[in-house]
Amino acid sequence: MRTNLRRALTTAMKNRDRAAITALRSALAAIDNAESVPAEHLPSSAASNEHVAGAAVGLGAAEVERRHLTEADVRSIVEKEAVDRVSAADEYERLGRADLAANLRAEAEVLDRQLHPES
């Protein structure tokens, strides 16, 4: 799914489709964020830098392998991104901002097309 999102982003950029670019970049960023390791799970280094508090010394001293997400995890993240946009669009409409609501609904449609490519 991530590969499809990246391909769709490339196509959207070539077509200058703002709604698609925004939605796809946001979804890819959400996936990248989900792969990050929480700060409390970072390795503690015995040596530290005297100039920067908490800094690790040495090449690769603070590197940690990122979490591996399953295809279902990635799909869940994209679904949540789409649902969040629809609920925000509903709120904008309630506040009388149909223009912003339309933008968010267009972004949600882009993500829905990625989730259901056959339709």
Side-chain angles (χ1 to χ4, degrees):
M1 176 164 241
R2 184 190 316 233
T3 303
N4 291 339
L5 291 169
R6 290 189 198 285
R7 278 192 204 123
L9 177 59
T10 301
T11 302
M13 291 173 76
K14 287 179 183 176
N15 295 334
R16 298 180 188 225
D17 182 349
R18 286 187 170 279
I21 291 169
T22 301
L24 295 167
R25 279 185 175 162
S26 177
L28 287 166
I31 293 166
D32 288 343
N33 286 341
E35 287 179 329
S36 66
V37 177
E40 58 268 6
H41 292 91
L42 294 176
S44 59
S45 177
S48 64
N49 187 324
E50 63 194 58
H51 302 290
V52 180
V57 176
L59 182 62
E63 290 185 17
V64 176
E65 186 175 346
R66 295 178 67 82
R67 293 181 342 158
H68 295 283
L69 300 177
T70 65
E71 194 67 23
D73 293 335
V74 172
R75 185 172 190 76
S76 173
I77 291 167
V78 175
E79 286 172 351
K80 184 178 181 325
E81 288 287 311
V83 167
D84 288 349
R85 280 172 171 71
V86 170
S87 67
D90 291 342
E91 183 66 17
Y92 276 130
E93 279 189 353
R94 189 184 68 75
L95 296 171
R97 294 299 310 262
D99 55 329
L100 296 175
N103 290 343
L104 287 173
R105 289 191 195 290
E107 291 177 21
E109 287 177 24
V110 169
L111 296 176
D112 281 337
R113 282 195 305 267
Q114 293 299 312
L115 291 166
H116 308 100
E118 65 281 346
S119 50

